[in-house]
Amino acid sequence: MSHGYSPFPDHPYDRMHSDNIVYYGGNPYVLNNATVDALIEDYLSASPAELAEAARLVQVAAKYNIPYIPLFLSDDTHAIRSEWTNYTIKPGGIFTTFNPQTVVFMTSSVDNSLFVMAYSSDIGEMNPLFWRSERSHWYNMLVYDTLLSFDNESNLIPWLAEDYAISADGTQINFTLRTGAQWHDGLPVRPEDVEFSINYYKNGPSDVNDWPTFQHITSTSVDGQVITINMDQTMAFAPHIFGTQMYVLPEHVRDDAPQNDARWDDPTNGTAHTGSGPYEFDSRDPDEFTLVTKFANWWGPTNPYVGQLPNIDAFRIDVVIGQDARILAMRAGDADSERYEVFGAYVNVVLNAPELTLVTGLASQWDYVLGFHLNVTEPGFPGLGISDFRVRKAMSHAIDRAQLVNIGRLGHGRETHSIIPETFYASLYHPDGDFWEHNTTIANNILDAAGYLDVDGDGVREYPGVVLPPPPPNLILIGIAGAVALIIGIVISYFIFRMRKG
Amino acid sequence: MSEKKAVGTRQYIATRIVQTIVVWFGIITLNFFIFRIMPGDPRGTLIAEHMPPEVVQAIALRFGLDQPIAIQFVLYIVNLFRGDLGESFSHYGQPVIETIFAFRFWNTVILMGTSILIALIVAIIMGVIAASRRDKVIDVGSTTVFLVTYSMPVFWLGLMILYYFGFILRVIPLAGTITRGIVHVNIFHYIADYLWHMTGPLVVLTLSFIGGFYLIMRDSVLDVFTQDYILAARAKGLKERAILYGHAMRNAMLPMVSVIAVNMPFLISGATITETVFSWSGLGLLTYNSDVANDWPVLQGIFLFLATVAVLSNFVADILYLYLDPRIRY
Amino acid sequence: MSVLRIEDLCTHYFLGEDQVQAVDNVTFDIAESEIFGLAGESGCGKTTAAYSIMRILPENGAIVNGRIFLDDEDVVVKTEEEMRQLRWRKVSIVFQYAMNAFNPVLRIGNQIVEVMLEKQSIDKEEATKKAKELFDEVGLEPERIRDYPHEFSGGMRQRAIIAQALAAEPRLIIADEPVTALDVIVQNKILGLLKSLQKKYQLAVLLITHDLSVVAENSDRVGIMYAGNLVEVGTTVNVFKESLHPYTYKLIGAFPSVKGPKRRLEFIPGTPPDLIRPPSGCRFHPRCPWAQDICNLEVPEYREYEKNHWVACHFAGEINFEVEP
C-alpha cells in the first residue's frame, strides 16, 4: 500500500488506532489494541513539551505490535525543463502543497513569464475548504495563504502570520497577523478575516477538510493583530492544522454564501476566487487549463522567510493526460514540469531527453508500507496467521527493503524503518522504534518456535497443530482384493447354481 | 394486404417499445448493483491522499453510503425519475448531469460523430468501388491498407501521430481541445482552434473505424453482385452508376444499419484510449478518470446514458429496417 | 429481314488455364414475329448463347468468334456503352428466375419505370401511366405497380417480368426458361400470354427451354443444342416429326408425350461431355449408337439438308432410327 505523508506526523492515528477499523476500502489494517490506542491518544494530545517522548512511545508500540511494516519512500523523481533552477528542496519533493517556497523562488535562465504545470487529470474542485486531491490542494496553495508554513526541516515558520505562540498546556494558540497584507481585490487582510475563516471552517458542513479538529475550538478572539484560538483540549498538531491547513479567506467575499456554495467552484466567477496568495486567479477552462497570474501586492517581501515576490509572472495548469504526452509537451516547451513524479521506465526517458532535468536524491511524500488485514482470521485458527504477532514479526525480519526499492522504484527510493521515518520527520523520529533487522534466519526461527511448520514438505508452512493426514489408501491393493472377491463370488455362485440344478 | 401489414407493424412496434422499456429497467437495476458488488470503495480512494478518516465518514454520510443497500437503491430509482443522478465524488459537489453533459458529452459527440461519419462515407464509397473492381489494384490496395489500419493498436497509432506530427513536426497540438491560456478572438477563431486540436484524434479514430466498416461494406456489395437482380439491371442496359448506387448499394447498405446502431453507444462512450492519448476531454476520458477515482455516481450516470442510447438505437434500427427493407414484416 | 442473325458464334468461359467452350460455332437466325425455340439439356449453352446476344456474360466469359446481328447491327464489335444503349431497346430478356430478377427493396413499378426513363424520352408520369397499361396488358391490377416483389406470387411476378420486357418496345424478347419455376397450370397461362403479346406486337421471341413440350407447342421454328453446338434447326414439324440428328431423335424419345400412344421413356446413355476438352469430331459421337469412324475424326458440317432444315450430322437422312445397331 502507499500513502502520502503530510508535513506533520499525525498519520499513526489513521493507520494504527482502532477507531479506524473499517470494513470497506481504505484502512482495514489497523490494530485493535487498547494500549496502543491510548499511546496514540496521548501522542495526539501531547503538549509541546511532551510530544517527543509521546512520539517515541508510539514508534516503539508500532515496533512491538506491527500494525503494518514500513518499507520505503519513493524518490521525488520529478521531470522539469532544464532552464528552471532554485526550486526548494524539501522532504516530500519540490512541488508539494507544503512547499510554496518553490513557487516563489524558482527562476528560469530563459524566460520567467510563464510556468506551465502539466496535470494528469484536472483539478477536481477549486473551493479550498473541500480539496479532495493534492492536485486541487496545490492550486489552492497558489491562490490562498496559510498563516504558517514549513522550513526545509518541517519546522513551522511564519507565513501570512508574522508570529505564533502556543500556551504551555497547548490549549491556546495565538497567531499574529502580518500588517500590510492585501487581498487580490486590493482590500487589506484584517485579523477579523482570520477569525472569520476559523469559524467558517468550524461552522461548515462536516466534510470540510479538518472539520473535526475545528470542533475542539471553544472560542476565538481578536486583539489588535493577534488572533486567539481557545480549545477544549490539547492537540499536538493543532498549530499545524490551523496554521498550515486552513486557508485564510476574505470575509467580505465569503460571508454571504455557505461554505459549499456552487460559486466557489465556478470558473466564470472571478471574484469568488479572491485570496491573498502569491498568485491570483485569472481564467480556467475545465479539463483544459487553469491560469493564475502574479499578485503584485503580495506580502512576500515583508516576510524574512520569503523576502521577495515570486519570480514567475504566471502559472498555468494544463491537463495533459498521458505520461508520454506530458514528456513530449515538456520537451516541446509546451509544459515546464508535471504535477507528479515520473515512474518506472519513464525515468530513463526523462534522463535521455536533453531538454529535461530529473530531480533526484530527494524523498517524495509517497510512502509504501506492507499492510495487513488484521480483522480476518482463518476459520479454525483464531489468533493465528496474520493476526499472530510472531508471524508479523517474522515477516518484518524477512523483508529486504533494499531489494524492494530496486525492484519497485529502480533504485529511486529510500528505505524506512520507523513509522515516523527520519527522512521525513527528523525531529520526532526515534531510533527506539526502528523495525526488526533484515535476517531470514531469525524469521525462520521465529516461525519454527511458534509451531508454523512445513508438515507436508511442499515449501509452505502450515498452521500450528496441523498434522499430516493419513496416507491415501493403496488403490492397487484395493483393486486386487476386489478382483479376488469377485472371482470367489463367481465360483461360489457357480457351485450353488449347479447344486440347485443337480 | 398492406392494411394487414400496417396492423402487424403497429403491433410489432408496440411490442418492441414494451421490450425496450423492460430491458431498460433491467439495465438501470443492474447498473446500480454492479457497482456495489465490485471490489473497491469510493471512500478508499477519497482518503488515499492524506484525508483524515473523519472526513471520509462525513463524505460517506453526505452521499448516503452508510445507508443499507436497499434504501440506496430506492433513493437511486426515485432520484433517477426526478432527473437527479447524484453528485460526482471526484468533481466535488458537481451534479452528475453537469459533469457528463456540460461539455464532455459535446466533445465526444463532435469527435466521434465526425470520425464515424467520415469513416462510414469513405468505407461505403471505397467498399463499393473495391467490390466493383474486385481483385484489381484498387481493391487489393484498399483492402490491404484498411486491414492494416484496422489491426493497428489505437494507442500506438495515437502515440506515433503525437510524436511525429505533434513533437517532431509540430503541426498538431500535443494536448487538449483548445490552445491553453489564450483568449479566442471570436467564435471562428475558437472553431478553427478546436478543429486543429481535433485533427490528431480524428485521424486515429477514423482510421480505426474505417477498416471494419469497409470490410462489411465490400463484402455486402460483393454478395449483392451475385444476385440475379443485378444481372437483370445490367441486362436492362442501365448505366453502371445507376446499377451500383440505385440497385447494389441500397441492398448492401442494409447490414450497415445494424453496424451503425451497434456503434451508436460508441459514439457516446467515446474512445477512451484515443481521448487519453490526446487529452481530449470527452466521456471516454471521464469514464476512465471516474473509474480510477471510484466515482460511482458519474460511472453510473455514464453507463445509464450509454445503455439508454444502446437500447434506443437498437430500437430505432429495428424500426428503420421496417422501412428500408420491405421484405421485413411482422 | 431477320431480327436476329447469329453466325459462327463461339463463346468461351475462362477458368484459369482452361477454356470452357460453352457455345461453339452456332449459327441461326430469327425472323420478324417469329418464335424460335432453343432446346437442349441443361448446360448445353442455351443461356450462354442468350447472354452473348445481350452481352451480359459474366466477367470470365467472352465471345471469342462469330457475329451477332440485331437488325443488321453487329453487337459483337460494339463498345460497352453502345451495347448498353442497345439493350432493352432492341432486345429484352425474361429471366429464368423471375423470383429474384426484381430488386427486393424497390417497388416493381419503379423498376419498370426506371428502364423506360433510361430507354425512352418520356417523363416519369407518362412512364408510370405506361407501366400501368402494361400491367393491365399482362393481366395484373394496374394499381399494384406500387407493390414490392415479395408481395407478388410467382405467376404474378412472371407477368410483371414480361411487362418489364415490353417496357422499351423491343423487337426481340429472349425468354430464358420463362415458366420453369411455375406449376403447370400457371405455365400454360404465362405461355398463352406470351404468345398473345407476341402476336399483338409482332415480336420476335427466342424461347429458351429444356422442356421440349413447351417448344413444340409454342415455336414456329426450333433449334436443338448439344454440348455447345447447334445440331439441328428447322420448323417445329420438321424437327419433331422428321428429326435428322440422332440426338434430336433421342431427346424427343426421352420426353413423355401427352398425346399419342403410351410408350416406355427412353434415355440417352452416357453423360454430356466436358466442354473444356470436348470429344473430337462430332461431340455427340461417344453417346451416339449409329456413330462410325468418321464421327470421331471429322466435325460434321452444319448444312441445309433440305429447305429450311439444317443439321450437323455426317449421316443425316441415312439413318434408320428404328433400328439400333
Side-chain angles (χ1 to χ4, degrees):
Chain A
M1 294 192 179
S2 75
H3 296 268
Y5 279 140
S6 78
F8 50 91
D10 59 351
H11 57 271
Y13 173 72
D14 304 343
R15 302 186 189 181
M16 291 166 67
H17 195 283
S18 61
D19 281 359
N20 294 313
I21 295 177
V22 283
Y23 292 94
Y24 47 75
N27 236 354
Y29 64 90
V30 293
L31 285 171
N32 191 3
N33 181 320
T35 317
V36 175
D37 285 355
L39 285 172
I40 293 168
E41 284 156 22
D42 286 350
Y43 168 62
L44 291 179
S45 62
S47 69
E50 302 159 349
L51 186 60
E53 175 59 12
R56 187 187 76 86
L57 290 174
V58 168
Q59 289 170 74
V60 171
K63 175 179 179 175
Y64 286 98
N65 289 284
I66 315 188
Y68 65 92
I69 302 173
L71 299 175
F72 62 88
L73 274 157
S74 62
D75 272 358
D76 182 49
T77 42
H78 244 98
I80 187 165
R81 278 187 71 81
S82 302
E83 62 261 28
W84 295 100
T85 54
N86 215 30
Y87 29 79
T88 302
I89 305 287
K90 254 189 203 189
I94 60 173
F95 288 123
T96 63
T97 56
F98 45 91
N99 191 347
Q101 286 91 339
T102 289
V103 172
V104 179
F105 299 139
M106 191 164 57
T107 184
S108 164
S109 58
V110 180
D111 178 12
N112 266 327
S113 63
L114 178 69
F115 185 97
V116 177
M117 182 69 102
Y119 265 39
S120 54
S121 60
D122 197 19
I123 296 169
E125 47 282 318
M126 301 176 78
N127 190 344
L129 279 80
F130 293 99
W131 56 261
R132 290 286 177 262
S133 71
E134 291 294 280
R135 302 187 302 279
S136 309
H137 198 182
W138 194 80
Y139 155 80
N140 295 150
M141 178 201 73
L142 294 171
V143 175
Y144 302 96
D145 279 325
T146 53
L147 290 162
L148 306 176
S149 186
F150 297 95
D151 68 7
N152 293 358
E153 279 75 46
S154 302
N155 300 309
L156 292 172
I157 56 168
W159 201 246
L160 176 60
E162 65 180 17
D163 199 5
Y164 75 102
I166 307 159
S167 65
D169 69 352
T171 57
Q172 190 183 70
I173 306 167
N174 292 324
F175 293 103
T176 310
L177 181 67
R178 174 175 314 286
T179 51
Q182 281 184 19
W183 298 110
H184 295 151
D185 59 13
L187 293 171
V189 179
R190 301 165 302 127
E192 288 76 12
D193 287 316
V194 179
E195 189 185 24
F196 164 79
S197 302
I198 294 165
N199 290 302
Y200 195 60
Y201 270 73
K202 182 187 170 186
N203 299 328
S206 62
D207 54 346
V208 165
N209 292 330
D210 293 303
W211 186 81
T213 309
F214 281 88
Q215 302 314 305
H216 291 287
I217 297 172
T218 52
S219 66
T220 57
S221 59
V222 171
D223 180 14
Q225 289 296 101
V226 177
I227 303 97
T228 301
I229 299 174
N230 292 303
M231 296 191 298
D232 59 7
Q233 67 173 71
T234 308
M235 298 184 81
F237 298 109
H240 301 75
I241 290 168
F242 301 145
T244 68
Q245 300 301 299
M246 182 192 80
Y247 287 110
V248 179
L249 300 167
E251 186 176 6
H252 64 279
V253 173
R254 287 272 178 170
D255 70 347
D256 58 347
Q259 289 83 342
N260 54 6
D261 195 83
R263 81 177 69 169
W264 315 126
D265 279 312
D266 179 4
T268 62
N269 184 343
T271 325
H273 310 292
T274 305
S276 62
Y279 289 89
E280 48 184 319
F281 174 78
D282 181 282
S283 53
R284 164 173 162 78
D285 194 340
D287 275 11
E288 300 290 342
F289 73 94
T290 307
L291 178 66
V292 296
T293 53
K294 180 152 75 178
F295 177 39
N297 295 326
W298 192 50
W299 47 262
T302 70
N303 185 337
Y305 290 92
V306 181
Q308 65 168 93
L309 284 176
N311 298 318
I312 301 165
D313 295 333
F315 262 89
R316 204 176 72 218
I317 292 164
D318 278 8
V319 180
V320 184
I321 310 294
Q323 178 71 83
D324 300 273
R326 285 197 299 277
I327 289 176
L328 291 179
M330 284 189 278
R331 292 186 60 191
D334 291 356
D336 294 287
S337 185
E338 55 176 323
R339 177 65 191 89
Y340 295 111
E341 47 270 54
V342 287
F343 291 91
Y346 288 110
V347 167
N348 291 327
V349 176
V350 172
L351 286 172
N352 292 330
E355 304 90 348
L356 305 181
T357 298
L358 185 76
V359 177
T360 51
L362 177 61
S364 79
Q365 68 185 118
W366 311 116
D367 76 310
Y368 292 76
V369 306
L370 178 62
F372 306 112
H373 201 313
L374 294 174
N375 300 303
V376 291
T377 48
E378 180 77 13
F381 299 98
L384 295 177
I386 292 298
S387 312
D388 185 347
F389 166 73
R390 295 167 300 181
V391 172
R392 302 204 297 276
K393 188 180 176 192
M395 290 171 81
S396 181
H397 274 296
I399 285 168
D400 182 353
R401 292 177 175 76
Q403 184 75 357
L404 286 178
V405 171
N406 277 332
I407 293 170
R409 296 304 318 274
L410 304 178
H412 297 282
R414 54 209 62 215
E415 302 171 25
T416 53
H417 297 274
S418 167
I419 61 155
I420 302 182
E422 188 178 14
T423 317
F424 222 90
Y425 308 108
S427 60
L428 290 178
Y429 158 77
H430 200 285
D432 285 1
D434 273 358
F435 268 57
W436 314 93
E437 59 174 318
H438 170 52
N439 187 326
T440 47
T441 315
I442 297 178
N444 281 319
N445 290 342
I446 292 172
L447 290 176
D448 287 344
Y452 292 87
L453 302 172
D454 182 9
V455 180
D456 57 7
D458 65 350
V460 180
R461 292 173 186 272
E462 269 69 41
Y463 281 103
V466 171
V467 290
L468 272 179
N474 191 327
L475 287 178
I476 295 172
L477 219 63
I478 291 173
I480 291 171
V484 171
L486 194 68
I487 290 164
I488 292 170
I490 290 170
V491 170
I492 291 172
S493 313
Y494 174 73
F495 280 111
I496 290 173
F497 204 60
R498 267 191 69 166
M499 269 160 62
R500 280 239 186 101
K501 258 188 151 178
Chain B
M1 199 188 300
S2 57
E3 184 104 325
K4 212 170 99 196
K5 177 175 177 176
V7 171
T9 304
R10 263 201 299 278
Q11 233 163 30
Y12 169 74
I13 293 175
T15 317
R16 282 293 285 124
I17 288 173
V18 172
Q19 271 176 3
T20 303
I21 292 171
V22 169
V23 167
W24 187 77
F25 265 98
I27 286 168
I28 60 173
T29 309
L30 201 66
N31 190 29
F32 174 82
F33 286 103
I34 206 160
F35 288 100
R36 268 79 188 167
I37 56 174
M38 275 192 323
D41 186 287
R43 289 162 293 198
T45 314
L46 287 170
I47 61 163
E49 290 186 89
H50 179 238
M51 178 82 57
E54 305 90 20
V55 180
V56 177
Q57 292 288 17
I59 292 168
L61 215 64
R62 172 172 175 160
F63 289 112
L65 291 170
D66 54 335
Q67 304 273 359
I69 205 155
I71 306 276
Q72 287 188 40
F73 181 63
V74 172
L75 282 175
Y76 161 79
I77 296 288
V78 168
N79 286 331
L80 193 66
F81 283 97
R82 299 203 325 232
D84 179 4
L85 293 176
E87 285 180 9
S88 164
F89 290 163
S90 55
H91 302 83
Y92 197 74
Q94 195 179 55
V96 167
I97 296 274
E98 198 183 316
T99 311
I100 294 176
F101 291 101
F103 58 93
R104 294 181 182 87
F105 169 73
W106 297 108
N107 283 341
T108 291
V109 165
I110 291 170
L111 174 64
M112 299 297 288
T114 316
S115 58
I116 288 180
L117 198 68
I118 294 176
L120 267 178
I121 292 171
V122 175
I124 287 171
I125 293 174
M126 290 309 295
V128 171
I129 291 175
S132 64
R133 311 258 188 287
R134 191 178 185 178
D135 294 335
K136 301 273 161 50
V137 177
I138 190 159
D139 177 32
V140 175
S142 59
T143 304
T144 311
V145 168
F146 290 140
L147 270 177
V148 168
T149 62
Y150 186 57
S151 44
M152 254 189 298
V154 172
F155 76 93
W156 181 82
L157 184 64
L159 279 178
M160 286 300 114
I161 286 181
L162 206 61
Y163 183 71
Y164 286 103
F165 293 94
F167 180 66
I168 302 283
L169 298 173
R170 307 272 163 104
V171 290
I172 60 163
L174 288 167
T177 64
I178 50 153
T179 304
R180 274 76 186 273
I182 66 160
V183 177
H184 293 94
V185 185
N186 53 39
I187 185 75
F188 301 107
H189 182 212
Y190 182 87
I191 291 172
D193 192 32
Y194 190 88
L195 291 179
W196 180 53
H197 279 73
M198 200 162 87
T199 320
L202 186 66
V203 168
V204 171
L205 285 174
T206 305
L207 286 179
S208 73
F209 283 133
I210 218 166
F213 294 167
Y214 165 82
L215 290 177
I216 292 169
M217 190 65 199
R218 178 179 172 274
D219 214 48
S220 185
V221 174
L222 282 179
D223 185 52
V224 167
F225 275 170
T226 65
Q227 303 291 318
D228 291 334
Y229 55 81
I230 296 297
L231 182 67
R234 202 164 282 148
K236 279 155 76 175
L238 300 180
K239 292 198 181 75
E240 194 62 26
R241 284 169 55 119
I243 296 171
L244 214 51
Y245 298 105
H247 286 263
M249 203 159 106
R250 172 114 189 242
N251 286 280
M253 281 293 288
L254 290 177
M256 292 305 274
V257 174
S258 286
V259 173
I260 294 168
V262 166
N263 275 286
M264 275 306 285
F266 214 33
L267 176 81
I268 306 305
S269 74
T272 304
I273 293 168
T274 310
E275 290 191 352
T276 307
V277 169
F278 291 95
S279 305
W280 187 268
S281 181
L283 294 183
L285 195 55
L286 180 66
T287 311
Y288 171 75
N289 281 335
S290 306
D291 187 39
V292 170
N294 273 345
D295 194 343
W296 287 357
V298 170
L299 282 177
Q300 228 165 251
I302 293 172
F303 287 4
L304 178 72
F305 183 49
L306 267 184
T308 309
V309 170
V311 170
L312 270 184
S313 57
N314 274 307
F315 174 71
V316 170
D318 281 353
I319 301 301
L320 215 57
Y321 270 126
L322 277 180
Y323 295 95
L324 289 180
D325 192 341
R327 283 169 294 184
I328 295 174
R329 49 165 74 224
Y330 303 96
Chain C
M1 192 187 72
S2 52
V3 175
L4 171 75
R5 186 152 50 86
I6 295 178
E7 290 176 3
D8 299 329
L9 178 68
C10 296
T11 301
H12 295 180
Y13 293 109
F14 296 84
L15 292 176
E17 297 281 293
D18 297 325
Q19 285 187 26
V20 180
Q21 301 170 24
V23 171
D24 198 49
N25 278 315
V26 167
T27 300
F28 69 93
D29 61 352
I30 302 177
E32 262 176 274
S33 54
E34 178 185 41
I35 300 184
F36 183 91
L38 192 57
E41 294 163 289
S42 297
C44 70
K46 305 177 303 262
T47 300
T48 302
Y51 287 3
S52 300
I53 296 165
M54 300 209 74
R55 282 190 41 200
I56 52 169
L57 293 161
E59 262 180 53
N60 64 338
I63 298 169
V64 295
N65 189 29
R67 306 209 281 172
I68 300 169
F69 293 99
L70 282 170
D71 285 346
D72 292 333
E73 282 184 83
D74 187 355
V75 301
V76 175
V77 297
K78 288 203 177 298
T79 65
E80 179 52 35
E81 176 58 21
E82 285 169 343
M83 194 59 219
R84 186 184 72 70
Q85 291 182 0
L86 202 113
R87 286 182 198 129
W88 226 255
R89 201 172 280 160
K90 290 250 153 131
V91 51
S92 60
I93 185 164
V94 173
F95 277 100
Q96 189 166 358
Y97 300 106
M99 191 69 101
N100 303 320
F102 279 121
N103 191 328
V105 302
L106 301 178
R107 295 179 197 282
I108 289 179
N110 287 353
Q111 300 190 47
I112 295 174
V113 166
E114 168 190 51
V115 69
M116 287 185 196
L117 293 177
E118 174 69 38
K119 297 296 165 188
Q120 293 170 324
S121 48
I122 54 174
D123 61 16
K124 200 168 173 194
E125 209 177 310
E126 233 178 302
T128 310
K129 194 167 152 254
K130 217 182 133 194
K132 282 184 179 171
E133 285 168 14
L134 280 173
F135 256 47
D136 195 35
E137 189 100 56
V138 299
L140 292 167
E141 294 165 47
E143 56 271 22
R144 295 200 63 174
I145 62 165
R146 285 186 52 76
D147 280 11
Y148 287 100
H150 68 270
E151 290 169 308
F152 274 20
S153 68
M156 289 164 78
R157 227 172 291 172
Q158 198 57 280
R159 287 171 192 271
I161 284 275
I162 290 168
Q164 179 175 253
L166 294 170
E169 295 165 7
R171 303 207 37 218
L172 171 65
I173 290 182
I174 300 172
D176 184 6
E177 307 271 11
V179 293
T180 306
L182 305 172
D183 64 67
V184 182
I185 294 169
V186 183
Q187 273 190 6
N188 285 335
K189 284 187 181 166
I190 297 292
L191 287 168
L193 172 68
L194 205 58
K195 243 181 146 171
S196 69
L197 290 169
Q198 182 264 339
K199 282 215 177 69
K200 180 171 176 189
Y201 292 103
Q202 302 288 301
L203 289 167
V205 175
L206 172 56
L207 178 64
I208 295 173
T209 179
H210 66 274
D211 187 340
L212 284 183
S213 58
V214 168
V215 175
E217 284 167 33
N218 298 287
S219 315
D220 300 323
R221 285 198 301 141
V222 175
I224 304 290
M225 278 189 83
Y226 177 76
N229 291 138
L230 195 57
V231 293
E232 185 167 356
V233 172
T235 61
T236 308
V237 177
N238 278 349
V239 171
F240 279 83
K241 298 290 183 208
E242 292 161 37
S243 311
L244 289 174
H245 199 282
Y247 176 67
T248 312
Y249 179 80
K250 286 277 178 192
L251 189 65
I252 293 166
F255 264 85
S257 172
V258 182
K259 299 164 196 161
K262 273 190 186 166
R263 59 181 170 84
R264 213 184 139 86
L265 280 184
E266 290 180 46
F267 67 97
I268 311 172
T271 52
D274 171 13
L275 293 182
I276 293 172
R277 273 169 289 277
S280 58
C282 174
R283 286 186 180 180
F284 187 59
H285 84 259
R287 299 171 77 186
C288 181
W290 300 280
Q292 313 254 341
D293 290 348
I294 189 174
C295 299
N296 185 11
L297 299 171
E298 275 179 39
V299 178
E301 190 197 351
Y302 179 65
R303 59 200 161 102
E304 194 168 20
Y305 173 78
E306 55 192 26
K307 179 87 175 127
N308 282 331
H309 197 169
W310 297 66
V311 68
C313 177
H314 292 294
F315 302 103
E318 297 169 22
I319 304 167
N320 180 0
F321 290 130
E322 301 299 322
V323 184
E324 282 190 25

